[in-house]
Structure formats: C-alpha cells, structure tokens
Amino acid sequence: KSDTDDDGRVKSLSSGIEEGVYKVTFDLRGYYARQKKNSFYPEATICFRVSDASEHYHIPLLLSPYGYTTYRGS
C-alpha cells in the first residue's frame, strides 16, 4: 500500500519493475471521503503490461466523482 505524493504520483512503484502484467488499485472512496464528497466508484483498478522494463511508465488516472479514465502517458 502506498499513498500518492503532492503531485499525485507513487514513484516507488517503478523501482525494480520487470516485464509482466501489473494491477494497481486506487481507493477512490477514501480519496473522496477525505474531501467530504461521495464517489460512484469505490475503487479503480488499472491493469497494464510492462513489455520493456527500461522504458518510463507513466499511467495517469483522471478522476471525477462519477467517472475516471486512464491512458499511457509520456
């Protein structure tokens, strides 16, 4: 379990990463509860594949209380 930093990143996730399939689950209920708001989705799980461990992987999660989206960033 990790928390995001002030920029919304968890930099420790990439340390020692190897090729493979990964899942990252974000606690949206807790995030919105701290803001005293409700969220339709209690969590968001992103499954992604690392095919080259030497590359940089940035996977943004864009939120609203009633939806979310993600993509492979640069």
Side-chain angles (χ1 to χ4, degrees), residues 10-72:
V10 181
K11 294 177 183 168
S12 64
L13 286 178
S14 63
S15 63
I17 200 164
E18 299 177 3
E19 292 181 9
V21 176
Y22 293 85
K23 285 184 182 180
V24 178
T25 301
F26 295 88
D27 175 20
L28 303 184
R29 182 183 344 204
Y31 172 77
Y32 280 109
R34 287 188 296 278
Q35 298 180 35
K36 301 196 182 344
K37 295 181 181 178
N38 291 319
S39 171
F40 181 71
Y41 296 101
E43 64 183 32
T45 300
I46 300 171
C47 184
F48 62 96
R49 181 174 54 93
V50 172
S51 56
D52 182 350
S54 68
E55 290 184 20
H56 173 77
Y57 288 86
H58 177 67
I59 304 160
L61 176 64
L62 308 174
L63 298 175
S64 81
Y66 302 103
Y68 61 89
T69 189
T70 186
Y71 58 94
R72 179 169 179 189

